[in-house]
Amino acid sequence: ELKVEQNPLFLSMQEGKNYTIYCNYSTTSDRLYWYRQDPGKSLESLFVLLSNGAVKQEGRLMASLDTKARLSTLHITAAVHDLSATYFCQCAGGTSYGKLTFGQGTILTVHP
Amino acid sequence: DTGVSQDPRHKITKRGQNVTFRCDPISEHNRLYWYRQTLGQGPEFLTYFQNEAQLEKSRLLSDRFSAERPKGSFSTLEIQRTEQGDSAMYLCASSRNPGNTIYFGEGSWLTVV
């Protein structure tokens, strides 16, 4: 069964600093998604990564996918307070094409 | 697009009662997913549909849970004989095809007392 692990689970950052969230998954996967969730709210799609070496950027966030290493990263550049949220990765794997499994989430807090 | 719509947004029910949630996906989205999320946890997969066909169902779903998507449009998730452990947010999502962006609804919060 596909397992998806994120680290760190908690991340406290200073504004202006850079950091990376890692998402490891246990079986081959052809799709990797990143989401943001604010407290008490639903999930907002950030990125969809579909191939090895895929890189996507939106504002201060950049996501990449290495299917050989079964690893995706979400890089935060020059963090600002508005980025404080929980970030999830999600992927499909193994024989199940539609069962998409989430990581545990990374709670990001950006402080002055 | 009007987005994925879920109803009701909040439901408080007594243990043992049945509850039903409705999800209206984005028009022309073939894929529809149901997830459950408890406080502090990531969403857990429950089931998904391709059009009207339910293609996979999680082992998390006991016989008390059932989902339908009768005409390939809206979907319902029914929980029979609710238990306190069913208290969670139930999330519906849809996408046009695999590999496309998945859009989540605002969720339906269930509290079983």
Side-chain angles (χ1 to χ4, degrees):
Chain A
E1 185 171 313
L2 173 64
K3 293 192 187 310
V4 182
E5 293 187 347
Q6 290 181 232
N7 74 84
L9 299 183
F10 300 92
L11 180 52
S12 180
M13 295 178 64
Q14 269 191 311
E15 281 189 331
K17 298 292 188 183
N18 304 333
Y19 210 84
T20 300
I21 299 170
Y22 297 89
C23 174
N24 291 272
Y25 51 95
S26 60
T27 66
T28 55
S29 177
D30 61 350
R31 285 167 287 150
L32 195 294
Y33 304 80
W34 283 97
Y35 298 89
R36 168 185 173 139
Q37 186 175 39
D38 292 301
K41 302 291 187 182
S42 188
L43 290 96
E44 174 190 354
S45 178
L46 296 174
F47 302 108
V48 181
L49 303 169
L50 298 177
S51 60
N52 186 41
V55 177
K56 290 194 175 180
Q57 182 164 6
E58 181 72 35
R60 301 174 187 274
L61 301 178
M62 182 174 71
S64 66
L65 178 62
D66 181 344
T67 58
K68 293 179 181 178
R70 298 178 185 169
L71 171 69
S72 180
T73 61
L74 180 66
H75 187 73
I76 303 155
T77 301
V80 293
H81 178 72
D82 285 352
L83 290 179
S84 298
T86 301
Y87 292 85
F88 290 97
C89 64
Q90 179 201 42
C91 64
T95 57
S96 175
Y97 200 58
K99 180 181 176 183
L100 297 163
T101 301
F102 279 89
Q104 314 96 307
T106 297
I107 300 174
L108 171 65
T109 304
V110 181
H111 53 87
Chain B
D1 287 336
T2 57
V4 179
S5 177
Q6 293 189 244
D7 184 70
R9 294 290 316 282
H10 301 272
K11 179 74 177 177
I12 300 174
T13 191
K14 292 183 178 179
R15 189 174 55 185
Q17 298 293 305
N18 299 343
V19 296
T20 299
F21 299 112
R22 176 180 170 122
C23 172
D24 287 274
I26 294 171
S27 179
E28 298 182 355
H29 276 197
N30 300 315
R31 285 257 168 139
L32 186 146
Y33 307 85
W34 283 101
Y35 284 84
R36 178 177 71 182
Q37 187 178 27
T38 53
L39 205 59
Q41 302 296 316
E44 296 174 295
F45 172 84
L46 293 178
T47 189
Y48 84 96
F49 293 84
Q50 175 75 27
N51 299 314
E52 67 275 10
Q54 186 175 22
L55 296 186
E56 189 157 355
K57 185 174 167 179
S58 168
R59 283 173 289 183
L60 289 172
L61 256 64
S62 67
D63 290 342
R64 298 186 298 109
F65 287 71
S66 63
E68 293 183 341
R69 194 183 182 196
K71 297 182 180 179
S73 56
F74 74 92
S75 176
T76 57
L77 176 69
E78 182 184 16
I79 309 173
Q80 297 182 326
R81 304 181 303 281
T82 52
E83 302 172 356
Q84 285 190 319
D86 298 331
S87 295
M89 179 167 66
Y90 291 83
L91 290 160
C92 177
S94 72
S95 68
R96 187 176 295 275
N97 287 308
N100 290 120
T101 299
I102 299 173
Y103 297 90
F104 278 80
E106 292 298 311
S108 292
W109 290 90
L110 173 65
T111 302
V112 182
V113 297

